Amino acid sequence: MSPPPSPSQQRIGLPWPELNDGLEYKDIVSSSESELTTVSEFYFTKYKSSAPLLGWIQRIQNGQIQIDGEVVKDPNTVLKSGSKLVYHRLPWKEPDTPYSLDILYEDDDLIALNKPSGLQVLPGGLFQQRTLLTQLQWWFGQKDSSTGACELHPVPVHRLGRGTSGILLCAKTKLAKTKLAAYFAEGTSLVGSGNLDQNCGTGRKLTKIYRALADGIIEEDEVVIQQPIGVVRYPGVAKGLYVAFPEGKPAFSKLAVLARDRQNNCTLVKVEIQSGRPHQIRIHLAYIGHPLVGDPLYVAGGRPKCFETDLVDDAAGFAEDGGYRRPNQPVPGDCGYHLHAHQVELLNLLNTNKVVKLVAPLPTILRTSSEAQEKSLPPAS
């Protein structure tokens, strides 16, 4: 848990309601999809990752599907080209999630938040309302209603894993969103072109430094990791799981050892990344044989603990809403590891010659007396 905010910091966040509002998914039937296709076949074919066939039949019989504004309960209803379909996902209680955030910095273009571990950034999976984006929208909705100002729509310009804490940058204007997205893409494009910089942040407009607790003792003071990262099929992750993969996309991380705890067999490290692949630090540290302490998913080699498929099939039981039950094996959103986006430096922000330097207080487990002996990376110039 992070220490209380300083008097200059503002804390935002509203408690979550017991149930979310549910969701609506809309489709229009194309001519190719309407050829003697039933409504149950349509949904099962198009959204296989959401539910088995029996699950979709259950949803239809529950009255959760509309065709051209009329509720249908017969799974064998034949679709017509051009028909408008609406699937109503029923409200549900999302998993327990923290909701308080500290504002680290704010100006007319940018707001930087200290995200707690356990809070998802954008909607996905079971988390549709309990996200950082929702709290951001609620906060600015309150501000706009109290001041009568034009409504703002701030959005995150990058992601942190649900179990990762620390600095998250959000754009308050379209220009800021475009510029910040370009800053994040800059380092990744340099890695992809082979123009690697061993000093990482040198010359870049945006520099991010993380703190992490790695399993085992890393004997080298500095390690550069250039293992590509790719996607493999994995049960419970519809778009695939990111892993260390020889034919994957280039990725570049540089770590420096801050402290070695031989008694507890772990190493505190500072990590700077020049590319921004999903779960990059978790994968790279696991790849060199030092996965993050408490990481439920990635093990030595940068791969998951197991690949066994245990999704339920049509003949088995499924969740209350007709969807698949959660897989038994770990998924990327599971927490327990120790990774913190500690520092961010923005140079020449939006071409205004403004320099923004941000530091997010460290969680207790990552604070150590040996921090004073930290060897700094070369500063960005």
Side-chain angles (χ1 to χ4, degrees):
M1 180 180 296
S2 298
S6 66
S8 62
Q9 286 181 351
Q10 185 171 17
R11 175 163 287 176
I12 68 172
L14 295 173
W16 307 113
E18 183 71 13
L19 299 177
N20 62 25
D21 298 327
L23 291 171
E24 284 191 355
Y25 298 88
K26 298 180 180 181
D27 287 282
I28 298 178
V29 181
S30 67
S31 56
S32 61
E33 291 170 327
S34 66
E35 296 176 0
L36 300 179
T37 299
T38 65
V39 63
S40 58
E41 290 170 342
F42 173 89
Y43 277 105
F44 174 61
T45 301
K46 193 164 186 177
Y47 300 108
K48 272 187 178 177
S49 63
S50 173
L53 179 59
L54 288 179
W56 279 113
I57 291 173
Q58 174 182 307
R59 290 168 172 176
I60 294 165
Q61 293 174 338
N62 282 346
Q64 293 174 243
I65 309 292
Q66 287 184 349
I67 301 178
D68 295 326
E70 298 290 332
V71 174
V72 294
K73 292 190 175 183
D74 181 0
N76 295 315
T77 302
V78 177
L79 300 179
K80 298 178 181 178
S81 177
S83 288
K84 297 179 180 179
L85 304 183
V86 180
Y87 159 52
H88 298 267
R89 185 174 178 182
L90 300 175
W92 72 94
K93 185 181 186 305
E94 300 181 19
D96 291 338
T97 309
Y99 61 85
S100 293
L101 302 118
D102 295 329
I103 298 176
L104 299 172
Y105 174 85
E106 185 175 8
D107 60 23
D108 291 340
D109 302 296
L110 171 72
I111 180 170
L113 302 171
N114 187 13
K115 185 188 88 70
S117 174
L119 178 61
Q120 187 154 306
V121 174
L122 298 176
L126 291 176
F127 298 94
Q128 293 295 325
Q129 184 178 59
R130 297 187 178 191
T131 67
L132 180 144
L133 177 62
T134 299
Q135 290 292 350
L136 200 59
Q137 291 170 338
W138 286 350
W139 170 248
F140 277 89
Q142 283 184 329
K143 289 182 69 176
D144 292 334
S145 63
S146 63
T147 63
C150 295
E151 189 173 352
L152 292 171
H153 299 281
V155 293
V157 292
H158 63 111
R159 297 195 193 193
L160 296 177
R162 191 166 76 87
T164 305
S165 58
I167 301 170
L168 188 96
L169 303 178
C170 304
K172 296 170 66 176
T173 65
K174 290 183 179 179
L175 176 61
K177 180 182 178 182
T178 300
K179 290 284 189 179
L180 288 168
Y183 293 172
F184 276 98
E186 177 190 14
T188 300
S189 63
L190 287 173
V191 172
S193 66
N195 296 320
L196 298 176
D197 186 341
Q198 296 296 308
N199 290 332
C200 275
T202 302
R204 291 185 58 200
K205 294 185 178 69
L206 187 148
T207 303
K208 289 178 66 182
I209 296 175
Y210 291 76
R211 294 287 175 87
L213 193 63
D215 186 57
I217 302 300
I218 301 174
E219 298 295 350
E220 302 90 341
D221 290 338
E222 291 189 349
V223 181
V224 171
I225 309 168
Q226 300 184 42
Q227 170 63 31
I229 293 174
V231 179
V232 296
R233 293 187 62 186
Y234 186 80
V237 183
K239 295 182 180 180
L241 177 70
Y242 287 88
V243 298
F245 195 64
E247 287 77 39
K249 294 183 178 180
F252 183 96
S253 303
K254 182 177 181 180
L255 67 87
V257 171
L258 302 180
R260 298 178 179 93
D261 184 345
R262 297 188 184 276
Q263 182 177 351
N264 294 307
N265 192 37
C266 59
T267 305
L268 179 67
V269 296
K270 175 172 70 173
V271 186
E272 189 169 356
I273 58 175
Q274 188 156 328
S275 52
R277 308 298 178 198
H279 315 302
Q280 177 173 321
I281 294 176
R282 296 171 67 185
I283 294 168
H284 271 182
L285 280 165
Y287 175 74
I288 65 170
H290 297 280
L292 298 185
V293 170
D295 194 329
L297 177 61
Y298 293 105
V299 295
R303 311 283 285 185
K305 291 182 178 179
C306 60
F307 275 109
E308 286 78 9
T309 302
D310 65 354
L311 289 176
V312 296
D313 58 26
D314 284 2
F318 36 85
E320 185 177 345
D321 73 340
Y324 290 112
R325 293 190 187 278
R326 186 195 184 284
N328 292 327
Q329 69 265 39
V331 293
D334 291 345
C335 303
Y337 57 89
H338 304 290
L339 179 61
H340 183 72
H342 183 42
Q343 295 172 269
V344 169
E345 182 170 328
L346 285 162
L347 300 175
N348 193 24
L349 180 61
L350 303 183
N351 300 319
T352 60
N353 294 319
K354 183 192 298 184
V355 177
V356 178
K357 296 182 179 180
L358 305 172
V359 178
L362 289 167
T364 302
I365 197 166
L366 295 180
R367 292 201 303 269
T368 172
S369 59
S370 64
E371 254 182 274
Q373 302 170 11
E374 174 183 351
K375 293 175 284 186
S376 300
L377 289 173
S381 60

